[in-house]
Amino acid sequence: MTATTGNTEKLWELIKDTRFGMLTHRHADGQLHSHPLTTQNKDIDEGATLYFFVPKTGDIARHVASDPTVNIAYANTDADSYVSVAGHAALLEDPAKKEALFNPMAKAWFPDGPTDPNLGLLAVSILFAEYWDVDDSKMVQLYKMAKAAVTGEPPKNLGEHKKVSVS
């Protein structure tokens, strides 16, 4: 495993085709709560920010206002790629950004479109991320796991694992 700084391109390559991320935030009593959200980005911006639509009157908006520390977990089991993003969340009032990101799927949740009064734009600034990306086929992975079970040695080279510091 290696650590890199500022390598958001690889993160975006792993995130962009994963339909949902599980956003985890903390309640005042310390309990962690997670919600599936759809990443609205069309690409990753220079600020390494991920965008989500959330109800302004909902749990997420209420809780990130008092504790902006969040985690987003992405799992693309078809591609064997996994990403964990740690960052700070904030609700933005940016009508132009809402308009640019709004899509037909979002209309199901926010029927009045990008001007829906309950449409909140949650921006998560990535501070740190970690990813696991496996290129081997399922058969090769099974072989490596079976070999490890027989030899008693942990499997080697099961893909790329990196930590990325964005700040």
Side-chain angles (χ1 to χ4, degrees), residues 23-90:
L23 181 127
T24 301
H25 60 91
R26 187 179 4 251
H27 283 211
D29 63 4
Q31 287 189 5
L32 299 174
H33 293 258
S34 298
H35 306 264
L37 294 178
T38 302
T39 307
Q40 300 300 323
N41 296 55
K42 294 174 177 52
D43 55 34
I44 193 79
D45 65 15
E46 65 279 349
T49 303
L50 299 171
Y51 296 98
F52 306 89
F53 290 136
V54 299
K56 288 181 181 178
T57 57
D59 254 5
I60 296 170
R62 191 170 41 259
H63 291 290
V64 300
S66 62
D67 185 351
T69 303
V70 298
N71 181 272
I72 308 160
Y74 293 94
N76 185 333
T77 55
D78 291 337
D80 273 334
S81 63
Y82 307 88
V83 179
S84 177
V85 172
H88 283 108

Side-chain angles (χ1 to χ4, degrees), residues 64-134:
V64 300
S66 62
D67 185 351
T69 303
V70 298
N71 181 272
I72 308 160
Y74 293 94
N76 185 333
T77 55
D78 291 337
D80 273 334
S81 63
Y82 307 88
V83 179
S84 177
V85 172
H88 283 108
L91 276 180
L92 299 183
E93 279 306 320
D94 185 339
K97 192 70 162 172
K98 288 180 183 180
E99 181 75 40
L101 296 174
F102 203 81
N103 58 64
M105 290 301 290
K107 194 165 180 69
W109 298 100
F110 304 99
D112 293 334
T115 60
D116 190 309
N118 197 33
L119 175 65
L121 180 61
L122 186 72
V124 176
S125 299
I126 301 172
L127 301 174
F128 178 82
E130 191 165 0
Y131 68 83
W132 298 260
D133 186 25
V134 180

Side-chain angles (χ1 to χ4, degrees), residues 1 133-137 140-145 147-148 153-161:
M1 174 182 50
D133 186 25
V134 180
D135 289 329
D136 291 336
S137 70
V140 171
Q141 290 177 55
L142 286 172
Y143 170 77
K144 287 180 178 180
M145 296 298 286
K147 180 180 175 185
E153 294 180 22
K156 294 183 176 143
N157 301 322
L158 279 180
E160 182 179 20
H161 174 208

